[in-house]
């Protein structure tokens, strides 16, 4: 086994025993990047020099005995997280040269914990998409099948972990952008409760839905990453001042006596039969651990997609209004006047999907339509939240497939936005309700593509998700596979 | 047929907070351009607003000073429009759920009767950046100064209750007095900390219809506000008489040409509830605490000054017109000076001198204690009125106490009986014809003789005693 193939906790053990140094781990990761990056294209910007400097610094701290579970561990950052002095593009031409003057809170926290950043990873433009095909820096490929997409929008974060081009990564999830690519790339991905992790320095897509979360190789690593990034931040008024438990304490508690809800509305036509099969075996494993699986109902599930595609574009239309070519980023320089400069800049600076959502959002908010669309959608969002509140009086966690299908082929859904949007049909509800969700690998298709199971819990119950996912992971006896690159 | 105007005002006030509204940058828009900026008020990608509690407090105090009902729940919206003065393409404002509603202010109408003008709501919003257009040189350029971006504002929206330029001007004067008392904003139209836009329509007199309005901006004094409304009323009346339709639009007041001209519209986009600033929920207790922080307001103060100090209503109104002035007045009275003497001297002597010197009464070198010392000498007949006036002007230039100035300049009033007897004898001997006139029944000759005596004493003689002695000797 190469160092870059190990988990955070395995590497931490080796570091603590002084058997390997952070520099050796970083070397191993960059060697891997050099070998596979041309096929995968996870990264938009590599931070090689800084990474080795940070590794040397980590090694010094390690020698001094100043070690956290993240010290010296190489981590990749989705290119939507602001990094001081390092280009942050959101995969968009309009920010292709934007260098932030400050670090996002999560970046600060990881830095303080001793993590080493390997680079900024690819994504759908402004996190709008489910396939990482809309980045102005080109597509990212699925390490399990290079003809296929890695999911999205955090496709770079998922692919980099799956291809061992980093040990863990951060992504962002507005409608499934962590969980869906985690499922499609066979890694663990968690979207925390809205308000659990500070969004300060996360370039906003839809501010009432966005949340930052980790991609890791196993559930234990997910708990370790959550321990670092979770917590109140005065710079984000929507973060919640609640104590953060030690998430690693939930790892081996088991789920004996738990009730797992299976929402009947999520087992619908259109789910790939192999995904359905994997779900059945997942239920069997869970029941074998002493938990009871019961059918529950989330009656407003059918409205989730419609509500999401009003609220998210509406918020995006104002969040993206600042990209006008005046202060930073791309500017089309030959406008005759201000209005023409705006039009040319935004026409050339944004890709088709971003423009589509800005237009949907502007329309939904325009006078005369506000009540019919945005206001009604907000009301239905309340009902969807209510569904979950009721459900969690009947069960500890909810189990669903993460994605209705395994990874699809590159270009397959690019001309059909509605088909693309359906790819997030099981993940969107958690963002609308603000609840946490985790995707864990639960098997492979006959073609060798990973399948993910999603667990959902009540607000601030990330501990329960880790307890559930960890128990499942330990007992599922899934075949240990690595992508063949 | 006559026309009347229907006028509503939208007033933007810059709150005098220490920091900006959503970040910790100093609220000093006049500093060197772009000095007071940070990633939040420049709204770099990833920045999140942090709503300042000071803004909330001062906005609530402002609303309370305007007799508004504070809403238990209010929230921010994002008002989207594209212009370089707006660094994030939207302005945080409270379009859907304002901070306060249903306020009012009383004014005296042109007919001399009190009128109550209603305030629809008060909401908070952030100020935008300042654009500087440089047109000299080969290529004209526009520069943006973000020092003002994010400065805390409240916008006060009135009901269309005003009917004349007089009403609008009086409303602004009343509003300015209330807010300056509350101490939450400077309210200077000249300095731009108060900006008043007027929505004006006209209709046949005694009609109840609401016609299409025109918005007029860019008035930088109360006088300009009145002039702009008067001009706009005439312009609209001429339009109607010529059969032209009034179109909803915005006009700018041009103070040099004394007319309004149409303004090019900005692109106004949608308005969405802001998800990053949590809704503002206020408890009864907290609102009561804010109420208790309001000082005694001018209306109550006038009544108290009349009852407690025996001032006339005019004097009481005068002494209450500004909070600093009223506090100055009361400090003088506390030094055992008769209230009406204090009020008279402050209004007729002190204030003109302060205005001449462009000073602020609260920071005047003539402190209440120094004025009181002077007035106490005057009341005790140690000096006379004309000397007191001279001493007062000297108090502005010199650090010495009024007593010392009186001593050093020999202003002490002469009240020595023998000395004054001799003075009167001399004046009577020097002016025999005036003495003759008086004895022949011409009473005004007494004034002439008193004047001569005062002159001879270089103003130092006690005029009351001079009169007594003269009357006795002439009788």
């Amino acid at each position: 086994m190469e160092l870059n193939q190990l988990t955070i906790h395995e590497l931490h053990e080796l570091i603590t025993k002084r058997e390997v140094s952070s520099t050796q781990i970083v070397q191993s990761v960059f060697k891997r990047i050099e070998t596979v990056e041309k096929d995968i294209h996870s990264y938009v910007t590599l931070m090689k020099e800084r990474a080795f400097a940070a590794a040397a610094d980590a090694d010094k701290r390690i020698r001094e005995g100043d070690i956290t579970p993240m010290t010296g561990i190489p981590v990749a950052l989705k290119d939507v997280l602001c990094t001081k002095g390092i280009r942050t593009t959101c995969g968009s031409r309009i920010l292709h040269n934007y260098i932030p003057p400050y670090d996002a809170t999560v970046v600060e926290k990881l830095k303080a914990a001793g993590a080493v950043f390997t680079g900024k990873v690819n994504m759908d433009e402004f996190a709008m998409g489910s396939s990482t095909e809309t980045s102005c820096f080109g597509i990212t490929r699925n390490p399990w099948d290079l003809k296929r997409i890695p999911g999205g929008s955090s496709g770079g974060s998922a692919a980099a972990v799956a291809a061992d081009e980093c040990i863990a990564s951060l992504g962002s999830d507005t409608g499934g952008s962590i969980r869906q690519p985690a499922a499609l790339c066979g890694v663990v991905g968690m979207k925390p409760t809205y308000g659990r992790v500070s969004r300060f320095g996360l370039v906003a897509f839809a501010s009432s839905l966005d949340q930052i979360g980790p991609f890791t190789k196993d559930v234990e690593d997910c708990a370790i990453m959550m321990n670092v990034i979770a917590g109140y931040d005065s710079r984000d008024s929507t973060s919640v001042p609640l104590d953060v438990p030690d998430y690693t304490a939930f790892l081996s508690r088991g789920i004996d006596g738990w009730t797992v809800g299976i929402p009947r509305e999520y087992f619908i036509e259109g789910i790939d039969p192999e995904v359905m099969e994997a779900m059945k075996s997942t239920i069997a494993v869970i029941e074998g651990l002493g938990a009871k699986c019961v059918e529950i109902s989330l009656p407003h599930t059918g409205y989730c997609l419609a509500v999401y595609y009003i609220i998210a574009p509406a918020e995006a239309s104002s969040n993206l209004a600042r990209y006008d070519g005046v202060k930073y980023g791309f500017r089309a320089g030959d406008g005759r006047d201000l209005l023409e400069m705006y039009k040319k800049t935004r026409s050339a600076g944004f890709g088709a999907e971003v423009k589509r959502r800005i237009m949907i959002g502007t329309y939904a908010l325009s006078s005369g339509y506000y009540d019919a669309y945005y206001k009604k959608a907000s009301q239905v969002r309340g009902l969807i939240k209510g569904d979950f509140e009721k459900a969690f009086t009947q069960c500890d966690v909810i189990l669903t497939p993460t994605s209705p299908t395994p990874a699809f082929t590159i270009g397959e859904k690019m001309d059909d936005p509605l088909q693309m949007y359906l790819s997030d049909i099981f993940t969107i509800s958690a963002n609308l309700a603000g609840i946490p969700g985790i995707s864990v690998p639960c098997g492979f298709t006959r073609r060798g593509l990973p399948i993910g199971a999603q667990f959902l819990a009540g607000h601030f119950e990330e501990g329960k998700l880790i307890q559930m996912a960890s128990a499942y992971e330990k007992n599922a006896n899934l075949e240990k596979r690595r992508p063949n690159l | 047929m006559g026309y009347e105007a229907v006028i509503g005002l939208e007033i933007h006030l810059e709150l005098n907070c220490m920091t900006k509204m959503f970040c910790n940058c100093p609220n000093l828009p006049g500093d060197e351009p772009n000095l007071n900026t940070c990633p939040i008020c420049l709204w770099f990608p990833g920045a999140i607003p942090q709503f300042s509690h000071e803004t909330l407090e001062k906005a609530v105090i402002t609303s309370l000073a305007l007799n508004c009902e504070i809403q238990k729940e209010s929230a921010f919206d994002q008002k989207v429009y594209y212009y370089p003065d707006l660094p994030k393409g939207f302005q945080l404002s409270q379009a859907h759920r304002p901070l306060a509603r249903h306020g009012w202010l009383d004014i005296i109408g042109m007919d001399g009767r009190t009128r109550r003008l209603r305030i629809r709501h008060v909401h908070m919003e952030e100020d935008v950046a300042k654009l500087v257009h440089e047109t000299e040189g080969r290529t004209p350029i526009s520069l943006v100064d973000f020092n003002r971006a994010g400065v805390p504002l409240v916008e006060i929206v009135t009901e269309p209750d005003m009917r004349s330029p007089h009403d609008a001007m009086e409303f602004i004067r009343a509003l300015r007095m209330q807010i300056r008392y509350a101490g939450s904003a400077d309210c200077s139209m000249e300095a731009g900390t108060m900006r008043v836009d007027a929505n004006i329509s006209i209709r046949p007199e005694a009609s109840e219809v609401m016609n299409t309005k025109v918005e007029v901006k860019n008035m930088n004094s109360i006088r300009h506000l009145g002039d702009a409304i008067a001009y706009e009323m005439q312009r609209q009346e001429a339009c109607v008489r010529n059969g032209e339709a009034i179109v909803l639009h915005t006009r700018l007041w041009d103070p040099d040409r004394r007319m309004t001209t149409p303004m090019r519209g900005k692109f106004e986009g949608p308005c969405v509830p802001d998800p990053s600033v949590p809704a503002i929920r206020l408890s009864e207790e907290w609102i009561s605490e804010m109420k208790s922080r309001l000082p005694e307001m001018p209306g109550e103060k006038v009544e108290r000054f009349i009852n407690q100090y025996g001032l006339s209503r005019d004097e009481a109104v005068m002494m209450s017109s500004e909070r600093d002035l009223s506090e100055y007045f009361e400090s003088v009275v506390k030094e055992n000076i008769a209230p009406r003497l204090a009020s008279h001297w402050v209004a007729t002597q002190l204030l003109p001198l302060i205005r001449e010197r462009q000073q602020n009464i609260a920071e005047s070198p003539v402190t209440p204690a120094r004025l009181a010392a002077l007035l106490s000498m005057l009341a005790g007949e140690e000096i006379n009125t004309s000397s007191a006036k001279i001493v007062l002007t000297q108090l502005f230039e010199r650090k010495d106490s009024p007593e010392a100035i009186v001593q050093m300049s020999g202003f002490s009033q002469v009240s020595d009986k023998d000395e004054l007897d001799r003075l009167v004898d001399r004046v009577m001997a020097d002016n025999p014809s005036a003495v003759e006139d008086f004895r022949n029944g011409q009473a005004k000759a007494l004034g002439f003789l008193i004047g001569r005596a005062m002159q001879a004493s270089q103003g130092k003689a006690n005029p009351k005693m001079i009169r007594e002695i003269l009357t006795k000797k002439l009788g």
Side-chain angles (χ1 to χ4, degrees), chain A residues 90-114:
Chain A
C90 293
S92 181
R93 189 177 176 203
I94 213 155
L95 284 177
H96 72 104
N97 58 357
Y98 174 65
I99 298 173
Y102 71 97
D103 277 329
T105 297
V106 288
V107 172
E108 266 180 9
K109 285 184 158 186
L110 278 170
K111 234 183 221 178

Side-chain angles (χ1 to χ4, degrees), chain A residues 119-317:
Chain A
K120 306 297 290 288
V121 281
N122 204 14
M123 56 187 281
D124 280 300
E125 185 179 7
F126 281 105
M128 297 174 188
S130 309
S131 64
T132 317
E133 291 173 287
T134 65
S135 164
C136 80
F137 296 96
I139 61 167
T140 296
R141 293 168 190 274
N142 192 315
W144 296 92
D145 179 348
L146 298 177
K147 291 190 299 297
R148 290 175 190 270
I149 57 94
S153 66
S154 312
S157 308
V161 173
D164 300 313
E165 292 185 281
C166 62
I167 307 304
S169 66
L170 285 184
S172 67
D173 189 316
T174 305
S177 284
I178 290 174
R179 292 158 289 157
Q180 183 257 21
L184 271 45
C185 289
V187 297
V188 175
M190 176 183 272
K191 178 203 97 75
T193 309
Y194 184 79
R196 178 89 282 186
V197 176
S198 167
R199 293 180 298 113
F200 187 78
L202 166 71
V203 180
F205 159 14
S207 309
S208 77
L209 301 161
D210 297 341
Q211 192 63 195
I212 298 165
F215 286 88
T216 54
K217 295 177 185 179
D218 65 13
V219 177
E220 182 170 350
D221 279 8
C222 177
I224 293 168
M225 287 283 277
M226 281 299 294
N227 275 354
V228 178
I229 63 171
Y232 173 70
D233 176 16
S234 62
R235 291 177 295 182
D236 174 5
S237 320
T238 63
S239 72
V240 177
L242 275 178
D243 284 344
V244 180
D246 174 5
Y247 291 115
T248 60
F250 293 88
L251 286 168
S252 29
R253 287 187 185 170
I255 54 162
D256 190 22
W258 278 29
T259 306
V260 176
I262 313 291
R264 73 170 78 95
E265 292 83 359
Y266 281 61
F267 290 83
I268 48 167
E269 260 181 72
I271 297 186
D272 185 290
E274 289 187 280
V275 171
M276 200 60 112
E277 239 172 77
M279 292 315 296
K280 283 183 188 145
S281 1
T282 304
I283 291 171
V285 172
I286 291 169
E287 290 190 320
L289 292 168
K292 195 172 66 184
C293 290
V294 297
E295 187 178 284
I296 59 158
S297 175
L298 297 165
H300 297 94
T301 299
Y303 300 105
C304 286
L305 205 62
V307 166
Y308 179 84
Y309 276 98
I310 289 169
I311 288 176
E315 291 183 11
S317 71

Side-chain angles (χ1 to χ4, degrees), chain B residues 95-108:
Chain B
H96 295 296
R97 292 194 281 167
L99 178 68
R101 295 179 195 269
H102 310 305
W104 52 265
L105 285 178
D106 286 341
I107 62 157
I108 308 290

Side-chain angles (χ1 to χ4, degrees), chain B residues 236-254:
Chain B
Q236 289 188 24
E237 213 177 304
C239 283
V240 172
R241 291 195 197 280
N242 291 336
E244 293 165 29
I246 304 286
V247 196
L248 182 77
H249 71 299
T250 301
R251 301 178 73 86
L252 286 180
W253 170 247
D254 181 337

